[in-house]
Amino acid sequence: MAEILVLYYSREGCTAEMAKYIARGVESVNGMEAKLRTVADVSRVCDAVADTIPDQGAPYANEQDLHDCAGLVLGSPTHFGNMAAPMKQFWDDSSSAWFGGELVGKPAALFTSTAGSHGGQESTLLSMMLPLLHHGMLIVGIPYSEPRLMETTSGGSPYGATHTAGGQGELPLSEDEKVLCKALGKRVAEIAAKLQK
């Protein structure tokens, strides 16, 4: 089985919920397995070391996960139109993977969750693309051949999967958002499978 790394940061749980649907899409492709991983929060006052395993949710990612994956789907909530600091910190610390070319030529896709539809979803997706492009990854979006992309009145973008969560994270994923998350995971897995041949 080839692994697609579904790497995310989630504070309120919305991005984590998206990751689960993306993983379903990945695992709908024969020979592909989703590997859910998260990143540790960052301290607001000083450098701190988190336990190696969080109290709940997916285990923390490490550079071996980057080495082992056949593809990557990266997610973060939107923080002022940008990826969250813990996700940025993870990529800032990925120099050895960069020097080793661990991700060169592997497919990657993106997902995000925001409070409102004008919270900077697409700029967040673009901000997450930048380190992946520096690592030599092949960026995969959601093509308009996916009918829900044209029909959705909630989340969704050709740049990646999105979710509009409401001011308190109270809005569950819409059916369109679930379908688009699964479609994105499936697309990355299919492309990874073709690249491995």
Side-chain angles (χ1 to χ4, degrees):
M1 295 285 273
E3 290 179 342
I4 301 298
L5 179 60
V6 182
L7 176 59
Y8 67 91
Y9 173 72
S10 186
R11 183 175 286 165
E12 304 297 329
C14 297
T15 310
E17 187 68 12
M18 294 178 77
K20 292 174 187 172
Y21 282 95
I22 288 166
R24 289 182 194 176
V26 167
E27 294 184 346
S28 72
V29 177
N30 286 336
M32 291 298 188
E33 181 179 11
K35 184 177 191 178
L36 288 162
R37 291 292 182 265
T38 190
V39 296
D41 212 341
V42 293
S43 172
R44 296 174 191 263
V45 282
C46 63
D47 284 343
V49 178
D51 291 332
T52 55
I53 300 174
D55 292 336
Q56 60 183 0
Y60 292 134
N62 58 47
E63 288 204 33
Q64 189 63 43
D65 294 318
L66 299 179
H67 172 77
D68 294 343
C69 75
L72 169 70
V73 189
L74 182 65
S76 171
T78 293
H79 286 194
F80 299 102
N82 204 334
M83 76 178 99
M87 186 58 73
K88 176 75 164 60
Q89 179 71 41
F90 178 84
W91 289 104
D92 285 349
D93 290 339
S94 67
S95 295
S96 63
W98 179 81
F99 280 115
E102 302 291 347
L103 296 172
V104 173
K106 295 179 181 181
L110 309 149
F111 62 105
T112 190
S113 177
T114 58
S117 58
H118 302 292
Q121 292 177 343
E122 289 185 341
S123 64
T124 299
L125 297 173
L126 290 168
S127 78
M128 289 190 290
M129 280 182 200
L130 298 177
L132 305 185
L133 289 167
H134 279 266
H135 274 278
M137 299 197 83
L138 309 173
I139 304 299
V140 173
I142 302 174
Y144 281 103
S145 57
E146 177 54 56
R148 295 287 182 115
L149 193 57
M150 291 294 287
E151 298 166 5
T152 184
T153 57
S154 51
S157 165
Y159 303 144
T162 66
H163 167 57
T164 304
Q168 303 301 314
E170 72 277 7
L171 299 176
L173 269 67
S174 71
E175 287 306 309
D176 287 338
E177 291 168 340
K178 291 175 185 177
V179 167
L180 292 171
C181 283
K182 288 189 269 190
L184 186 62
K186 181 179 180 185
R187 184 164 159 75
V188 172
E190 288 175 337
I191 290 170
K194 288 176 183 175
L195 289 171
Q196 289 190 323
K197 289 183 179 179

